[in-house]
Amino acid sequence: MAALNALVRRLRTADHGARVVPWVDPDSGGVQARVLVLFESPANLTASANSSAFSSEDNVNPTSRSFKAARLEAGMSRGDYVRWNVVPWPLFDAAGGRRVPNADDLNDAQPALAAIIALMPSLTSIVTFGATALTGIMRYYTLHAQPVIVPVLAAPHPSPANGHRRAENHVRAVNALRRSLR
């Protein structure tokens, strides 16, 4: 865990400390985790926790609750995975609302993604939640000079805003997490 949180510390101090990057969940698998679970960017509530923010399934928001339910149903232990965001800092629009990462944001965050992957020697798969996370890992695979390539499984983002086909989305999340352990 120390190496992952050292990465968070470096990211927090880059750009004159202007970015809030959540700590890695201490109950996760740390550098020995087999699965990297990638979301889009930190949620508003996570970002509002500022220096005490964690990227964790224990966060009090619907996305975390949906993910945890899928993880439990998939039979995945907390030690099997590390949760991260393809853009590890929150993004806001001019009015202060949360915004979806664009290609420039994904490029800006690519060194952080490459760094966390490099810190995980036991990594066997990546599960992305949402199109942005999938795009981010595919950009890393196709733009990074020497990417670490492992299988990627993609599931819909579990946010309530992605409410259509909720039951199907849950099944896809469970299956992606279950298959990532094979």
Side-chain angles (χ1 to χ4, degrees), residues 24-176:
V24 175
D25 186 342
D27 293 328
S28 73
V31 296
Q32 294 305 315
R34 298 176 7 201
V35 180
L36 178 61
V37 172
L38 279 179
F39 285 90
E40 183 177 280
S41 63
N44 290 345
L45 284 173
T46 303
S48 69
N50 205 338
S51 64
S52 61
F54 282 86
S55 182
S56 172
E57 70 179 39
D58 296 328
N59 291 348
V60 183
N61 63 54
T63 297
S64 293
R65 282 192 298 276
S66 294
F67 169 76
K68 184 176 182 177
R71 178 191 64 81
L72 290 170
E73 190 173 330
M76 177 182 272
S77 78
R78 286 182 84 149
D80 287 328
Y81 80 97
V82 164
R83 179 179 171 147
W84 188 252
N85 292 290
V86 72
V87 175
W89 45 81
L91 300 167
F92 301 101
D93 60 24
R98 190 169 176 275
R99 69 174 177 82
V100 175
N102 59 36
D104 290 336
D105 299 318
L106 293 173
N107 284 342
D108 191 26
Q110 192 177 108
L113 181 59
I116 196 164
I117 290 170
L119 290 171
M120 299 177 68
S122 301
L123 187 67
T124 59
S125 61
I126 295 170
V127 178
T128 62
F129 282 91
T132 302
L134 179 59
T135 298
I137 194 65
M138 290 300 126
R139 289 179 69 84
Y140 161 76
Y141 278 2
T142 58
L143 293 172
H144 194 274
Q146 295 181 320
V148 174
I149 298 180
V150 296
V152 174
L153 293 109
H157 196 285
S159 166
N162 193 16
H164 64 291
R165 298 189 171 184
R166 190 175 311 260
E168 177 185 302
N169 291 349
H170 175 76
V171 168
R172 289 180 62 194
V174 169
N175 287 335

